[in-house]
Amino acid sequence: MLDRLQTLEDRYNKLNEMLSDPEVISDTKKLREYSKEQSGLEDVVQAYREYKEVTSQLVDAKEMLEDDSDDEMLEMAKMEVSELSSRKEELEDKMKILLLPKDPNDDKNVIMEIRGAAGGDEAALFAGDLYRMYSRYAENQGWKIDVMEASSTGVGGYKEIIFMINGSDVFSKLKYENGAHRVQRVPETESGGRIHTSTATVAVLPEAEEVEIDVHDKDIRVDTFASSGPGGQSVNTTMSAVRLTHEPTGIVVSIQDEKSQIKNKEKAMKVLRARIYDKFQQEAQAEYDENRKSAVGTGDRSERIRTYNYPQNRVTDHRIGLTIQKLDQIMQGKLDEFIDALVMEEQAKKLEQIGE
């Protein structure tokens, strides 16, 4: 492990040199590539540097234990050895986690798709609640949201809403939200006070860049049509809405959120590219999972991952058996407890596999 860490520190130092090179500074592509690589190494290199410093201090403290006959100095040296040994162990554990294989999509922006599923209007209302929950979480993280397509209902919910989240390491935190989310509550329209169960599905797609996936124009059928509002009525007379069909996969994307056909086509291409990339990834993951289950809830989207129980102010994540009695706070975007627990669970599984 230490040899690998030293190699990474050497590479980090080399990148620092290259990022000061005028030739690299003038090349936007290289500058972005090297900056991204350096940023990815920063945490592990800082931990390794602290580890080397702590190890050196520990050697000195142990020498003091052997050499010093002064009782007071001896006691101080013992305390220092204890503290440094504890910190050394912490850093070793931290570096093991930082060296785990990283999901190549972790630092990407995401396209999220939320759809009301079982439960009619109540499912659509819940889809709207989930959208607001993720919007608030994104705001807390300093991320930016751009709604790409929304099919709203008359009661204030969404049959479907597609939006993009831009920011730092978005996919690394939101990838665990893939799946079916279940709500248990008394709908406003329910006069008898009975609790209903409804569901909404969430898909989290990493944004795919052009270099990662080849989508050829000849494979895409482009149709234009007039935008329509709730109930299907035409909201304008121009053919601004765009439908893209990727014929090799059969994936269809329709976007009508913008008044401009060009802007709608740009948004549709982003969604189409992400869905194609995701389809290939899902197929590769399914093949891998036949041999070994490696991740926490980033696979089958039909899997029920979480239940939101309003009468008891309770949210349960079924993948890790975690229940939190703070539904009101969670719906305000305070998702860190769940996301941190899911990250730790996945890291533990990966560490187990390395040890096998």
Side-chain angles (χ1 to χ4, degrees):
M1 181 174 84
L2 295 177
D3 287 344
R4 188 175 170 204
L5 286 161
Q6 187 57 56
T7 301
L8 292 176
E9 187 185 25
D10 292 343
R11 177 61 181 167
Y12 182 83
N13 292 335
K14 180 67 177 171
L15 286 164
N16 270 340
E17 287 176 25
M18 290 193 289
L19 287 168
S20 304
D21 186 335
E23 201 174 301
V24 172
I25 293 169
S26 63
D27 187 329
T28 311
K29 188 180 175 185
K30 276 187 180 176
L31 186 65
R32 186 171 62 244
E33 183 187 322
Y34 292 155
S35 297
K36 186 177 174 183
E37 186 184 351
Q38 185 203 42
S39 175
L41 290 173
E42 193 154 354
D43 287 346
V44 70
V45 168
Q46 294 305 328
Y48 177 52
R49 285 175 175 171
E50 187 184 348
Y51 173 82
K52 287 194 292 185
E53 181 63 28
V54 165
T55 303
S56 174
Q57 290 174 4
L58 187 56
V59 169
D60 293 342
K62 284 179 176 176
E63 283 177 1
M64 283 177 64
L65 274 180
E66 293 169 9
D67 299 343
D68 215 302
S69 55
D70 183 289
D71 288 346
E72 192 177 333
M73 291 298 289
L74 206 59
E75 198 56 40
M76 284 176 63
K78 280 181 185 175
M79 284 177 62
E80 194 172 352
V81 167
S82 175
E83 287 171 8
L84 290 167
S85 297
S86 176
R87 183 58 184 156
K88 185 183 175 186
E89 283 180 23
E90 286 172 14
L91 287 165
E92 283 170 350
D93 289 341
K94 182 179 180 179
M95 290 186 302
K96 279 178 191 171
I97 288 168
L98 288 169
L99 287 173
L100 287 173
K102 196 181 174 190
D103 185 332
N105 293 319
D106 274 354
D107 59 353
K108 290 185 179 176
N109 300 322
V110 304
I111 291 170
M112 289 190 84
E113 302 181 357
I114 303 175
R115 295 179 178 85
D121 284 346
E122 177 62 12
L125 283 169
F126 182 47
D129 292 336
L130 290 175
Y131 166 66
R132 286 181 283 277
M133 177 183 81
Y134 292 125
S135 297
R136 285 163 187 150
Y137 178 70
E139 283 170 22
N140 296 339
Q141 300 293 317
W143 299 336
K144 181 176 172 285
I145 285 187
D146 177 24
V147 174
M148 308 186 85
E149 180 69 355
S151 175
S152 58
T153 62
V155 293
Y158 293 101
K159 292 176 188 172
E160 174 187 69
I161 182 163
I162 302 170
F163 53 102
M164 188 164 186
I165 304 181
N166 295 277
S168 175
D169 300 323
V170 183
F171 188 76
S172 70
K173 294 185 177 178
L174 290 180
K175 62 184 174 183
Y176 305 102
E177 298 305 299
N178 260 326
H181 295 240
R182 181 174 71 168
V183 63
Q184 295 171 327
R185 63 185 175 190
V186 179
E188 290 178 18
T189 53
E190 172 58 57
S191 56
R194 290 177 301 168
I195 294 172
H196 284 225
T197 298
S198 308
T199 57
T201 60
V202 176
V204 183
L205 316 179
E207 184 187 17
E209 296 171 17
E210 288 190 35
V211 293
E212 293 171 316
I213 183 164
D214 288 326
V215 179
H216 303 291
D217 289 344
K218 63 181 176 60
D219 293 332
I220 300 172
R221 189 174 77 244
V222 181
D223 298 305
T224 57
F225 54 98
S227 298
S228 61
Q233 73 268 28
S234 177
V235 293
N236 65 43
T237 54
T238 61
M239 305 293 276
S240 61
V242 174
R243 183 187 301 111
L244 302 182
T245 304
H246 185 245
E247 295 185 330
T249 60
I251 293 171
V252 180
V253 176
S254 297
I255 298 286
Q256 59 176 20
D257 199 55
E258 301 281 353
K259 291 179 181 177
S260 156
Q261 186 186 116
I262 293 169
K263 286 184 179 177
N264 280 331
K265 189 177 178 185
E266 282 174 5
K267 284 188 173 184
M269 273 303 299
K270 277 183 184 281
V271 177
L272 183 69
R273 194 178 295 282
R275 286 190 188 170
I276 294 167
Y277 181 66
D278 181 66
K279 176 181 167 62
F280 294 148
Q281 281 210 311
Q282 291 287 320
E283 287 171 357
Q285 185 67 40
E287 189 179 326
Y288 181 81
D289 285 350
E290 281 181 17
N291 302 317
R292 173 176 253 165
K293 188 76 176 170
S294 66
V296 181
T298 52
D300 187 359
R301 298 229 169 90
S302 64
E303 176 190 9
R304 188 189 71 202
I305 65 164
R306 204 175 285 150
T307 295
Y308 303 73
N309 184 294
Y310 274 71
Q312 296 176 23
N313 197 38
R314 183 186 76 220
V315 183
T316 299
D317 195 291
H318 304 291
R319 296 162 294 180
I320 51 176
L322 176 62
T323 295
I324 299 175
Q325 303 281 154
K326 300 175 188 173
L327 180 141
D328 51 341
Q329 294 180 35
I330 285 158
M331 298 312 291
Q332 290 300 316
K334 294 180 179 175
L335 287 167
D336 292 307
E337 258 184 276
F338 278 121
I339 289 172
D340 291 348
L342 288 158
V343 168
M344 286 176 66
E345 178 72 11
E346 184 165 14
Q347 287 173 348
K349 284 196 170 191
K350 286 179 177 176
L351 285 167
E352 275 175 29
Q353 288 174 13
I354 289 169
E356 285 174 9

